[in-house]
Amino acid sequence: MDKFRMIFQFFQSNQESFMNGICGIMALASTQMYSAFDFNCPCLPHYNLAYGLGILLVPPFILFLLGFVLNNNISMLAEEWRRPQGQRGKDPDVLRYMFCSMAQRAMIAPVVWVSVTLLDGKCITCAFCTSVPVETLGNASHPRLSQGEIQRVLARIPCKEIYNGQQLIANEVAVRYLRCISQALGWCFVLLMTTLAFLVRSLRPCFSQAAFLKSRYWSHYIDIERKLFDETCAEHARSFAKVCIQQFFEGMSTDLVAARCHLPRKAPADAGEAAEKLLGITDWGTMNMALKSWHRCKPPLHLYPPALPSGNGWAGEGQPPTHPSAPRRETAAYYSWV
C-alpha cells in the first residue's frame, strides 16, 4: 500500500506527472479492451477490408481524441489561443509547446492499440485474406472455380469453421502467411515509434534548449496562474456568500427584535475576516467586470517593487540617495578673561 500511495502522490505532484499517469492508464486500458474484444470477421469479399482496417484505425482515433479530452490543458490552450491580446502578448511558441505536449501524450494509447493489433494479426488476416498469392501457396489451376468464386472462398479464410477451400489453399498456410506479415509490420511499427521518440527526446535539447526551456516555463506558469486564479475566485465566492448570509440573518434578527423586543445575538468573529477578503468587490456587477477584465486584458508579466516613502517626501519617483550626507562638524570656542 505504501508503494501505491507513493505512486499516487507522484502522479499528483504536478500537472505533467498527472497526465503521464493518465496516459499510462489509458495504454493499459487499450490492451485490456483489445483482449476483451470479440473479433468477428464478416468473411465476405466486400466487407473484410473495411472491417479489418476499421478495427485497426478507428479505435486509435477514438483513443487519441479521448487523450485530448482527459487532458486538462486543452481548455487552457483554447482559452489562451482565443483570448484577446490585452496587456499581455500571446507567445506562439508556448501554444505550440502545449499542443505538442498534449499530442505526444495522447498518442501513447493509439500507438499501443496499433502495435498490439498488428502483432496479433487478426485484423490483417481479415482485411487482406483475398490478396493471398494462390499461385505461390496453393493450387491456382482449380478447374471448377471462377475468379469471383475464388474471391469468395479466400474471404472465408479467417472463419475456419465455414472455410471450404482446402483444395484451393490450406487454411493454416494462408493464416500463417498473413500473420507473419502482420507481425513483421507490427515490429517495424514499434521500432519506428521507439526511434522517433528517442530522436525527439534526445536531439531536441541539442538544437533549441533555450527556446524549449522558455516555452516549458511559461506553459507551467499559465497552468499555475489559472489554478491560483480559480482558488482566489473560490475563496472570494466563499467570503462573499458568508458575508451575504450573515447580513441576511442580521436583517432577520433585526426584524425579530422590532417585533418581539428580543436582543440580537452577537455577530461571529469571522465575519470581519470574510469582509476583508472581499477586497472591495461587494456586488454582482463589479465581480463580473473584474472577471471580464481578467479575460480581456490580463496584467503584464512585469513585477515591480512597491514604492517606499522616505522622510524628504520621496515616493518612488527617481532614485533615492545612495550615499549618506557627510557628518556635520562641531567646533567649540573657549574665551578667557585675562
Side-chain angles (χ1 to χ4, degrees), residues 240 281-291:
F240 190 87
I281 304 177
T282 57
D283 61 283
W284 189 0
T286 307
M287 189 63 200
N288 290 338
M289 186 183 301
L291 295 176

Side-chain angles (χ1 to χ4, degrees), residues 111-221:
V111 167
V112 172
W113 177 277
V114 174
S115 302
V116 172
T117 305
L118 290 176
L119 292 176
D120 185 55
K122 293 180 182 178
C123 290
I124 298 298
T125 303
C126 179
F128 299 99
C129 59
T130 56
S131 301
V132 175
V134 182
E135 297 83 359
T136 305
L137 303 177
N139 184 15
S141 60
H142 200 282
R144 294 177 297 178
L145 295 178
S146 62
Q147 190 65 27
E149 292 176 345
I150 291 176
Q151 293 294 320
R152 285 193 294 270
V153 171
L154 294 179
R156 298 176 183 177
I157 290 177
C159 306
K160 188 176 181 180
E161 62 277 2
I162 63 174
Y163 181 68
N164 56 355
Q166 292 291 340
Q167 298 179 355
L168 181 64
I169 183 174
N171 181 270
E172 294 80 4
V173 174
V175 170
R176 181 169 296 184
Y177 172 79
L178 293 173
R179 185 167 293 178
C180 289
I181 295 177
S182 178
Q183 290 178 354
L185 292 176
W187 285 116
C188 291
F189 180 78
V190 173
L191 179 61
L192 177 62
M193 291 295 104
T194 306
T195 305
L196 289 178
F198 171 76
L199 293 177
V200 169
R201 300 287 290 182
S202 60
L203 297 181
R204 181 174 56 184
C206 299
F207 295 98
S208 59
Q209 180 66 12
F212 172 74
L213 291 177
K214 181 193 70 171
S215 302
R216 183 176 182 179
Y217 175 84
W218 290 116
S219 174
H220 292 335
Y221 173 83

Side-chain angles (χ1 to χ4, degrees), residues 3 77 93-94 101 121 138 143 171 225 248 253 259 323 333:
K3 293 182 179 180
L77 175 63
D93 295 334
V94 177
S101 178
N171 181 270
E225 184 186 50
F248 170 75
S253 62
H323 300 285

Side-chain angles (χ1 to χ4, degrees), residues 72 146 244:
N72 295 329
S146 62
C244 185

